Amino acid sequence: MTRLDRGAAGTCVLGIAHEGPPGYGHGGISAVLLDELMGWACAAAGMPGMTVSLQMRYHRPVPLESPLRVLAHVTGTEGRKEYVTGSITTEDDLSTVLVAAEGVFVSPDPEHAQALFPGMGGASR
């Protein structure tokens, strides 16, 4: 996983333990990958947050045993809310989105941020 400006990127390979349909990843694994990376994108943007909602769009099956690229970016903020998008592609074809996500995350109030996210310096804004 690599932090980007207001985002995060990561690579992984799904194995048989992640199988849903034969030869492809389970949709729940795609949701876990995107939820996690979208949370990291919030932290990279300076506002660590927790998932309020996550909308998934499954465009194509996610292959097993193939290098994947997972991306997430904060697209906007409104108070303590952060709006985030994410996608999964293969490393071989970065232009074809297999799974896309939109999420809303909320940063805890500053009084609780340090306890929830030690080492992140709180959710200052």
Side-chain angles (χ1 to χ4, degrees), residues 30-67:
S30 295
V32 167
L33 290 172
L34 285 163
D35 183 46
E36 182 68 15
L37 208 67
M38 291 165 81
W40 278 101
C42 293
M47 287 179 53
M50 296 174 282
T51 312
V52 172
S53 68
L54 186 64
Q55 181 179 5
M56 305 295 298
R57 291 190 180 94
Y58 298 91
H59 299 283
R60 296 174 187 222
V62 176
L64 298 179
E65 305 300 335
S66 179

Side-chain angles (χ1 to χ4, degrees), residues 107-118:
S107 182
D109 64 74
E111 295 174 13
H112 296 101
Q114 187 61 38
L116 290 170
F117 301 102

